Amino acid sequence: MPLRPENAHHARLLRVLREGPRSRAELGEVVDLSRSTLSAEVNRLIELGLVEADGLAASRGGRRSGIVKLASRLRFVGIDVGATSIDVAVTGGELEILGSVGEPFDVREGPAVVLEKAMSLLGKLRDQGLAPEIHGVGIGVPGPVSFRAGVPVMPPIMPGWDRFPVREELSQELGCPVMLDNDVNIMALGELHSGPAKSVDDFLLLKLGTGIGCGIVVDGTIYRGVSGSAGDIGHIRVDDTGPPCSCGNTGCLEAFFGGAALARDAEVAARSGRSPYLAQRLAESGMVTAADVTAGTAAGDPTSAQLIREGGHRVGQVLAGLVSFFNPGLVIIGGGVAQMGHTLLSEIRSVVYRRSLPLATGNMPIVLSELGATSGVIGAARLISDHVFSAE
Amino acid sequence: MPLRPENAHHARLLRVLREGPRSRAELGEVVDLSRSTLSAEVNRLIELGLVEADGLAASRGGRRSGIVKLASRLRFVGIDVGATSIDVAVTGGELEILGSVGEPFDVREGPAVVLEKAMSLLGKLRDQGLAPEIHGVGIGVPGPVSFRAGVPVMPPIMPGWDRFPVREELSQELGCPVMLDNDVNIMALGELHSGPAKSVDDFLLLKLGTGIGCGIVVDGTIYRGVSGSAGDIGHIRVDDTGPPCSCGNTGCLEAFFGGAALARDAEVAARSGRSPYLAQRLAESGMVTAADVTAGTAAGDPTSAQLIREGGHRVGQVLAGLVSFFNPGLVIIGGGVAQMGHTLLSEIRSVVYRRSLPLATGNMPIVLSELGATSGVIGAARLISDHVFSAE
């Protein structure tokens, strides 16, 4: 049976409890309700099986207040479809990960095959008894999405997915609510839920991976723009005389530092003899990838480190402009390429702090994501829990 | 006596009536209140002298519904302090301009002199009997503002204004609420109130004048960023090898196309003999200004037109990135330089439509402001009316 808060107070209480158990006294401080109304609403949530009692709080002078928490039966599923991987997690109501599984998988296999794979991964988790019921599924895909329609829209690296009814298909298959968003927005939601962004209203999540994108959070919610493409910064111009890009322009950020661009530059460095490290990777596997550059940087290969620095410089140039424009409270760098860690981070910081408006960068940290690969599945679970825990 | 809506319903009703008179039946459709509550609240607003009856609506089958409108005694004042001008307008409750006056004035004269001048301009309007009472004043200044504190913050072109208590000074002087914002945000509010942006939730207002800035509207309200500097795009990098900028970097947008940059390029063109038109202006007045380039373009001087095209190209490069990032529903070009009209607009459009993400520009118009110089004073009046018509 689908969960349904009966009114806006229920929705508000459920969202507060998503942050963890609360005493009834604490809930009263957060939610602006009379003592008797609050008590009635909480009791109703317990009747509905959405909330359960969890002992008594320590005394604060008067009668001890009862602690309540989200029902332990609640289960959300987060699915993060990347360009080359699928990750699935089952969470409880507080979005804590109860179990997760991931596999390399090519999104170009098309929606039917990819979603079947996702269902089979979910099946593995359910076989372990992790999710007897499922109360909602959030899913992210690596391309533009019509959030209202729940379908991908002209996604450049996802052949066969255009307008495929992902939300409807999964919803019918699993018999529960499903929400679809792009991979960058779900990462930003993951950071909003459990990362350093938890206490920041307005922030940017920069994803550096096969593609480059930006999650925009305004006042604690994802800003999607009028056609859902906000944050799609991979084709912002860095330099007119730069390399040609898959989009048909030249000098786009992705043409400098997307996954394909990095592999291209690494191969040139391998073939030219400039990097013995990359030459060896090329000889061993017949190709060099962005991941080889990451590994090379970690292994002390100066050419790999230089490629990362050059890329970080380009990212910094674009980010500096966005920081001047948007004046965020925090910038988080995530995605596969972010594993290049502090070499990348220091270059990005250097450019942004030099080129952005000082008033905008005064108190603005630039940090690496601490959640890493789990931010996507947590964010996907957050996406659907926002929907389920709403009164609309 | 200061106006004060007594509750959130009052605030909502006043804001709806700011758009024009409504029948009680129409108000009922907009505001989610029971018939009897609505009736009581409207009557209370009439008692408070905020609203007045305005005849009966045409019959829609049943009893004719009474029309109400904002009280005709309501007066707001909008003050737009530019780098080189001061404009003051008195409006009614619907923000219709009842009278306005403006004069060239140098903001570098400092806050005491400038505000005294603004008061004297307002005095002229009051002498005409336009504002027996004043219910609130909105004021915009050409630099960064702490919106919460009501003071300018390190404004580069406003010596002596840093942290000057503009809001408090004016509020004490006039005995009414005052709100301070930067000039670009009040222009965006003006467009939101009466321009083509009226029906668009998310849009950008690009101001091209002495400085270059951008007003950002998200979901019908100004987005100011965490330290109030959002939209300060004048120092976004266009080209590393560009001209030095007053900020200490090189190649900023303003270093290419701010008022000073345009005057600099025009003088070079005059002295080199490349533009007989500009040479003549130089000979006549001993200097060339951005306004001469505007006039030159209108007069058919090809060198002036070329300067505008080159500047428009740079603006387009920055705007293209912002459009990909923000995915607005509309871009409005305003400010003094925008009077260069279609030469400028066509160049900006050409670059943005070529370089932004197609998904972002699909249905996005780029237009010149139709309000021109009045957008600032209307927006300033809107700013203070938003404050007065709120229940907080």
Side-chain angles (χ1 to χ4, degrees):
Chain A
M1 200 182 71
L3 300 181
R4 215 81 211 111
E6 292 176 329
N7 58 46
H9 299 317
H10 287 181
R12 176 100 176 92
L13 290 166
L14 292 169
R15 287 182 184 214
V16 171
L17 290 171
R18 187 170 60 184
E19 306 297 319
R22 292 284 185 279
S23 71
R24 284 170 183 255
E26 286 168 332
L27 283 179
E29 285 161 18
V30 180
V31 184
D32 188 21
L33 288 178
S34 74
R35 199 188 176 101
S36 60
T37 309
L38 175 70
S39 177
E41 298 292 14
V42 169
N43 291 342
R44 178 66 185 148
L45 285 171
I46 292 176
E47 267 174 45
L48 290 169
L50 287 162
V51 162
E52 56 197 35
D54 192 34
L56 292 178
S59 170
R60 298 200 295 185
R63 227 176 53 180
R64 292 169 68 196
S65 172
I67 292 179
V68 290
K69 62 173 190 176
L70 288 180
S72 47
R73 71 183 178 99
L74 291 184
R75 290 295 179 273
F76 295 119
V77 172
I79 303 175
D80 183 7
V81 176
T84 59
S85 62
I86 303 179
D87 288 280
V88 179
V90 169
T91 80
E94 294 168 14
L95 312 189
E96 71 284 15
I97 293 183
L98 301 175
S100 67
V101 55
E103 276 187 24
F105 208 85
D106 191 337
V107 74
R108 290 173 298 185
E109 297 277 339
V113 180
V114 168
L115 294 181
E116 196 184 311
K117 183 68 190 177
M119 288 305 97
S120 115
L121 292 173
L122 175 57
K124 284 189 193 175
L125 297 171
R126 298 190 85 173
D127 288 347
Q128 299 167 34
L130 290 175
E133 309 172 81
I134 295 177
H135 301 104
V137 175
I139 174 168
V141 294
V145 158
S146 165
F147 185 67
R148 279 189 205 169
V151 301
V153 179
M154 295 189 292
I157 65 164
M158 299 169 65
W161 287 80
D162 187 28
R163 302 251 159 221
F164 186 88
V166 175
R167 188 176 67 197
E168 211 174 300
E169 285 276 318
L170 283 186
S171 183
Q172 285 175 9
E173 169 96 19
L174 294 168
C176 67
V178 174
M179 295 297 273
L180 173 73
D181 207 337
N182 75 54
D183 57 344
V184 184
N185 285 347
I186 64 164
M187 280 182 71
L189 282 172
E191 297 291 341
L192 183 66
H193 186 74
S194 14
K198 213 168 166 171
S199 54
V200 182
D201 283 343
D202 306 318
F203 73 90
L204 298 180
L205 177 284
L206 207 63
K207 181 182 181 184
L208 305 174
T210 308
I212 296 178
C214 185
I216 307 170
V217 174
V218 172
D219 207 12
T221 58
I222 296 286
Y223 173 79
R224 294 186 171 85
V226 296
S227 49
S229 77
D232 210 338
I233 64 168
H235 300 282
I236 290 185
R237 164 194 170 274
V238 177
D239 191 338
D240 286 332
T241 60
C245 183
S246 60
C247 74
N249 273 313
T250 55
C252 301
L253 182 56
E254 274 188 23
F256 278 105
F257 200 51
L262 196 52
R264 172 201 66 208
D265 291 348
E267 190 176 330
V268 170
R271 293 195 189 281
S272 70
R274 196 152 57 90
S275 166
Y277 178 91
L278 293 171
Q280 194 185 336
R281 304 302 284 251
L282 179 62
E284 282 167 15
S285 66
M287 62 187 294
V288 241
T289 65
D292 292 327
V293 184
T294 312
T297 305
D301 172 44
T303 303
S304 296
Q306 196 195 343
L307 289 176
I308 298 300
R309 284 207 170 274
E310 286 170 4
H313 189 79
R314 300 306 189 174
V315 170
Q317 288 178 318
V318 169
L319 182 57
L322 301 181
V323 164
S324 290
F325 173 76
F326 185 69
N327 186 202
L330 171 70
V331 174
I332 304 172
I333 314 284
V337 178
Q339 287 159 26
M340 291 157 190
H342 288 275
T343 305
L344 177 70
L345 183 63
S346 61
E347 190 64 34
I348 293 176
R349 281 178 170 160
S350 152
V351 178
V352 172
Y353 288 133
R354 192 172 63 238
R355 286 244 47 145
S356 303
L357 203 70
L359 200 58
T361 56
N363 295 309
M364 186 198 73
I366 306 176
V367 301
L368 293 175
S369 167
E370 291 166 13
L371 296 176
T374 61
S375 66
V377 289
I378 293 176
R382 164 88 180 203
L383 176 71
I384 190 62
S385 76
D386 276 346
H387 174 73
V388 170
F389 293 164
S390 74
E392 280 154 27
Chain B
M1 199 184 72
L3 299 181
R4 214 81 210 110
E6 292 177 327
N7 58 45
H9 298 317
H10 287 183
R12 177 101 176 89
L13 290 166
L14 292 169
R15 286 182 185 216
V16 171
L17 290 172
R18 187 170 58 184
E19 306 297 319
R22 292 282 185 280
S23 70
R24 286 170 183 256
E26 285 168 333
L27 284 178
E29 285 160 17
V30 180
V31 185
D32 188 22
L33 288 178
S34 73
R35 199 188 177 101
S36 61
T37 309
L38 175 70
S39 176
E41 298 291 14
V42 170
N43 291 342
R44 178 67 185 147
L45 286 170
I46 292 175
E47 267 175 45
L48 290 169
L50 288 163
V51 162
E52 57 197 34
D54 193 32
L56 291 178
S59 170
R60 298 200 296 184
R63 225 177 52 182
R64 290 170 69 195
S65 173
I67 292 179
V68 291
K69 62 173 189 175
L70 288 180
S72 47
R73 70 182 179 100
L74 291 184
R75 291 293 179 274
F76 295 118
V77 172
I79 302 175
D80 183 6
V81 176
T84 58
S85 61
I86 302 178
D87 289 278
V88 179
V90 169
T91 80
E94 295 168 12
L95 311 190
E96 71 284 14
I97 293 183
L98 302 175
S100 67
V101 54
E103 276 188 24
F105 208 84
D106 191 337
V107 75
R108 290 172 298 185
E109 298 278 339
V113 181
V114 168
L115 294 181
E116 197 184 312
K117 183 69 190 174
M119 288 306 96
S120 114
L121 292 174
L122 175 57
K124 285 189 193 175
L125 297 171
R126 298 190 86 174
D127 287 346
Q128 298 167 34
L130 289 175
E133 309 172 82
I134 295 177
H135 301 103
V137 175
I139 174 169
V141 294
V145 158
S146 165
F147 185 67
R148 279 189 205 168
V151 301
V153 180
M154 294 188 292
I157 64 164
M158 299 169 65
W161 287 79
D162 188 28
R163 302 251 159 223
F164 186 88
V166 176
R167 189 176 65 198
E168 212 174 299
E169 285 276 318
L170 283 187
S171 181
Q172 285 175 9
E173 170 96 19
L174 294 168
C176 68
V178 174
M179 296 296 274
L180 173 71
D181 207 338
N182 74 56
D183 57 345
V184 184
N185 286 346
I186 63 164
M187 279 183 71
L189 282 172
E191 296 291 342
L192 182 66
H193 187 73
S194 14
K198 214 168 165 171
S199 54
V200 181
D201 283 342
D202 307 318
F203 73 91
L204 299 179
L205 177 284
L206 207 64
K207 181 183 180 184
L208 305 174
T210 308
I212 296 179
C214 185
I216 307 171
V217 173
V218 172
D219 208 12
T221 58
I222 295 286
Y223 173 79
R224 295 185 170 86
V226 296
S227 48
S229 76
D232 209 338
I233 63 168
H235 300 282
I236 291 185
R237 163 194 169 275
V238 178
D239 191 337
D240 286 331
T241 59
C245 184
S246 61
C247 74
N249 273 313
T250 55
C252 301
L253 182 56
E254 274 188 21
F256 278 104
F257 199 51
L262 195 53
R264 172 201 66 209
D265 291 348
E267 189 176 330
V268 170
R271 292 195 189 282
S272 71
R274 197 151 56 90
S275 165
Y277 178 91
L278 292 172
Q280 194 185 334
R281 304 301 285 250
L282 179 62
E284 281 167 14
S285 67
M287 61 188 294
V288 232
T289 65
D292 292 327
V293 184
T294 313
T297 304
D301 171 44
T303 303
S304 295
Q306 195 194 344
L307 289 175
I308 298 299
R309 284 208 170 272
E310 285 169 5
H313 188 79
R314 300 305 188 174
V315 170
Q317 287 177 319
V318 169
L319 182 58
L322 301 181
V323 164
S324 291
F325 173 77
F326 184 70
N327 187 200
L330 170 70
V331 174
I332 303 172
I333 314 285
V337 178
Q339 286 159 27
M340 291 158 191
H342 288 275
T343 305
L344 177 72
L345 183 64
S346 62
E347 189 65 35
I348 293 176
R349 281 177 170 161
S350 153
V351 178
V352 172
Y353 289 132
R354 190 172 68 238
R355 286 245 46 145
S356 302
L357 203 71
L359 200 57
T361 55
N363 294 310
M364 187 198 74
I366 305 176
V367 301
L368 293 176
S369 167
E370 290 167 14
L371 296 177
T374 61
S375 65
V377 289
I378 293 177
R382 164 87 180 204
L383 177 71
I384 190 62
S385 76
D386 276 346
H387 174 73
V388 170
F389 293 163
S390 75
E392 279 154 29

